[in-house]
Amino acid sequence: MSIRAVAAGAVVLVAAVAVSFSGQPSARAEQGPPPRTLPSLKAWTPGGAGFSLGAHARVWYDKDALRDTATDFALALRSFTGNDVVAQEGSSGGSGDITLGTGLLPDAPETPEAYRISIGETLELRGADIAGAFYATSSALQLLRQRPAIPGGTVTDWPQYRERSLMLDVGREFMPVDMLRAQIRRMGYLKLNLLHLHLSDSFGFRLDSDRHPEIAAAQHYSKQDIRDLVAYAARYQVEIMPEVDFPGHMNGILAAHPDLKLRSANGRVSDAAIDIANPRSYDLMRDILEEFLPLFPGRYWHLGADEFLLDGTRVASFDEYPQIGEYARATYGPQAQPVDAFLGLINWGADIVRAHGKRPRVWNDGLHTDAGTLTIGSDIVIDYWSRAGIPQLPLPFFGIARSPSDLIAAGHEVRNASFTPTYYVAGGPTAAGNVPPPIAYQIWDPTLFVDGTRLTPEQNTHNLGSGLFVWCDDPTVRTPDRIAASITMPLQVTAQQTWGPPQAGSYLEFSALADAVGEPAA
């Protein structure tokens, strides 16, 4: 997107002696400061003996489904402690050992991502499900990296938002598989759970196509690359969500199909937009969807649907394309407006996505107030980045796009993808809008949207969460390695704000904590 820079978790009181990290001490605080992780923990009850990792420690796991998590956890512990740590099936550990299991957590909301850490002579990690058990290991790794002994007590933790994401614009700048794997490891360490891959844009379609080999860029991912990446991400409790953007941002595809490019009445040709009045355009788009939907086993497919009439820096009007209005009236009735052809395309693509057992998603900017006679399916998730709408100047802070509250009232779930501060743009003039991490940490949370409106608690139950959206408007400016280094702190801030309160102190304290927990093991 060239011009773009959850349910709320129930808050419970686990015990009268609990110390939340808002800084309120308990009567037993003399045992030492509460343990600190990134993102910060929801609740801590101090007491009892502390834990030190044994020189020949075992990570005991009580079911085969935890084997990978236990094995990876043991390897990570060995890498930074030097201790002889191995994973072993079983359920009862001794002093200096760690146990890993799943089961009911009565002091936490009902989410599979909740977990509890009981700290004593044995470190007991328990998740509500596999995801929670994995997050317990992430927290335990961070705690043991900061100090060799953890004070006795009980941690109870859970996320506020269902989605805590990272989006990478690999359509404009190809990012090698090893770089993607490194970001997945980061995500698992920070309890982020959705990797959104923007797979097609100005500089390429990044998937190897059997049906249309002509559309694949020179640098692309093979189908086996994707299968391996999906499996790798699953070990870190990360779901991969693909996006192939229709009907705009299709430069990489349309370069091989110039006959399908959108042409105005005066002969102006768009390199980015496909002609949605041409039936053959739907044949090409259907082929792409049908080929790649089965490749990704996750719950979602992102249809894009943003900036359809944006051509370079110029924003066009539907009036310039009379064939679109004619198609809309012929397809949806004499009262149809030109925008109905666009809305109908979203519903058409959404039907194909649903037929493959997935849930469709789109960006929000093409959904205008009081525009069109059609409505899009209420099950479509809206990623809300801009209050602008086409046609008009694309200024994301105000405009004619439907508001977040209006979309929620219409039955949609949303993700807060605000142009500021969730966007990190690597290259191009829009990079000037990147918000410094201290500001994002101090003034923003996922209830605050790009137009300055804030959701009510009830509305926020329909907010899936937020993420960091990395756009590569000018792919010549930064290499993938430089991008990875540059997003280190923005990604840590994203993890904190989407996991939810309490915050980890001031930004200076948060920054020091980020240094202390470090990066995950390779």
Side-chain angles (χ1 to χ4, degrees):
M1 298 179 181
S2 55
I3 53 83
R4 305 184 289 199
V6 133
V11 178
V12 299
L13 296 176
V14 298
V17 296
V19 175
S20 83
F21 296 142
S22 59
Q24 298 176 348
S26 79
R28 300 185 65 182
E30 67 274 12
Q31 291 195 2
R36 290 165 58 81
T37 63
L38 198 167
S40 59
L41 304 169
K42 287 290 192 300
W44 161 247
T45 304
F51 174 78
S52 295
L53 185 69
H56 303 282
R58 296 292 179 266
V59 177
W60 299 92
Y61 57 95
D62 64 4
K63 60 185 64 172
D64 192 62
L66 291 170
R67 181 189 303 273
D68 288 346
T69 296
T71 300
D72 292 346
F73 180 43
L75 288 172
L77 287 170
R78 290 173 66 177
S79 72
F80 71 81
T81 67
N83 292 22
D84 176 26
V85 185
V86 297
Q88 187 167 330
E89 190 167 6
S91 58
S92 59
S95 179
D97 285 349
I98 300 172
T99 64
L100 182 64
T102 60
L104 182 66
L105 300 178
D107 294 331
E110 292 186 11
T111 166
E113 297 181 312
Y115 67 91
R116 184 177 66 222
I117 301 177
S118 301
I119 306 167
E121 292 184 355
T122 301
L123 190 65
E124 299 178 2
L125 311 181
R126 189 173 189 84
D129 208 332
I130 303 301
F134 174 82
Y135 293 145
T137 67
S138 295
S139 288
L141 281 171
Q142 292 188 11
L143 294 174
L144 289 167
R145 288 188 76 163
Q146 294 174 73
R147 49 185 172 178
I150 311 174
T154 302
V155 165
T156 307
D157 201 15
W158 62 90
Q160 181 173 5
Y161 290 96
R162 285 173 279 171
E163 286 187 4
R164 307 170 302 280
S165 56
L166 169 64
M167 192 220 75
L168 295 174
D169 178 10
V170 298
R172 289 193 181 88
E173 181 165 357
F174 182 78
M175 299 180 187
V177 170
D178 284 348
M179 186 266 199
L180 299 182
R181 286 181 172 232
Q183 301 319 300
I184 287 168
R185 292 194 297 273
R186 271 182 167 177
M187 294 176 71
Y189 197 56
L190 297 172
K191 306 182 181 75
L192 299 168
N193 63 359
L194 183 69
L195 177 60
H196 175 175
L197 294 180
H198 184 77
L199 289 161
S200 179
D201 213 298
S202 309
F203 301 107
F205 179 81
R206 302 298 183 184
L207 296 171
D208 188 18
S209 175
D210 297 324
R211 294 191 186 185
H212 290 280
E214 74 281 358
I215 69 175
Q219 289 182 301
H220 61 261
Y221 307 108
S222 70
K223 287 186 169 68
Q224 193 58 49
D225 286 336
I226 295 299
R227 294 185 191 101
D228 292 344
L229 194 67
V230 166
Y232 189 79
R235 290 182 77 105
Y236 294 87
Q237 298 303 312
V238 171
E239 177 181 354
I240 294 181
M241 177 174 70
E243 178 190 353
V244 175
D245 211 341
F246 297 152
H249 291 280
M250 292 184 65
N251 311 58
I253 296 171
L254 292 175
H257 291 271
D259 55 312
L260 299 182
K261 291 180 179 181
L262 183 62
R263 288 167 169 78
S264 69
N266 64 8
R268 183 181 177 88
V269 178
S270 170
D271 290 329
I274 198 167
D275 187 353
I276 61 174
N278 187 336
R280 291 189 297 112
S281 295
Y282 293 83
D283 293 338
L284 176 61
M285 290 185 285
R286 179 186 292 277
D287 281 351
I288 293 170
L289 289 172
E290 295 283 1
E291 179 174 2
F292 292 106
L293 272 161
L295 184 61
F296 294 88
R299 295 168 293 168
Y300 299 105
W301 181 278
H302 205 300
L303 291 162
D306 62 303
E307 298 178 331
F308 171 42
L309 296 183
L310 180 69
D311 185 11
T313 59
R314 177 179 177 273
V315 182
S317 163
F318 278 109
D319 294 339
E320 298 178 42
Y321 307 98
Q323 74 271 29
I324 293 180
E326 292 169 4
Y327 174 85
R329 289 187 291 274
T331 306
Y332 303 111
Q335 303 304 313
Q337 302 171 16
V339 71
D340 286 316
F342 170 77
L343 299 174
L345 170 70
I346 292 176
N347 283 334
W348 171 86
D351 283 342
I352 297 173
V353 171
R354 293 185 195 101
H356 285 263
K358 301 184 191 302
R359 190 173 179 188
R361 299 175 78 129
V362 297
W363 300 103
N364 79 289
D365 60 273
L367 308 177
H368 305 171
T369 304
D370 299 324
T373 63
L374 300 181
T375 58
I376 64 170
S378 60
D379 66 319
I380 298 174
V381 176
I382 311 298
D383 287 334
Y384 202 100
W385 74 274
S386 173
R387 191 61 191 267
I390 306 297
Q392 73 164 46
L393 288 177
L395 300 176
F397 307 104
F398 57 87
I400 61 175
R402 295 171 67 179
S403 69
S405 58
D406 177 37
L407 291 167
I408 289 170
H412 296 282
E413 290 187 310
V414 301
R415 175 174 55 161
N416 189 338
S418 295
F419 175 83
T420 52
T422 73
Y423 277 25
Y424 179 88
V425 182
T430 315
N434 292 347
V435 174
I439 296 177
Y441 178 80
Q442 291 164 359
I443 70 171
W444 180 82
D445 68 76
T447 68
L448 180 62
F449 280 72
V450 66
D451 60 353
T453 60
R454 189 179 289 279
L455 296 181
T456 67
E458 168 57 28
Q459 291 169 334
N460 204 45
T461 63
H462 304 280
N463 178 7
L464 294 176
S466 188
L468 179 67
F469 299 82
V470 179
W471 298 100
C472 304
D473 289 7
D474 183 349
T476 68
V477 172
R478 295 193 177 188
T479 65
D481 286 344
R482 285 192 63 198
I483 291 171
S486 299
I487 66 173
T488 301
M489 182 55 79
L491 199 61
Q492 290 166 332
V493 170
T494 297
Q496 176 60 59
Q497 305 302 70
T498 56
W499 188 262
Q503 282 197 321
S506 68
Y507 181 76
L508 287 177
E509 292 172 307
F510 176 78
S511 181
L513 174 62
D515 289 339
V517 302
E519 292 277 359

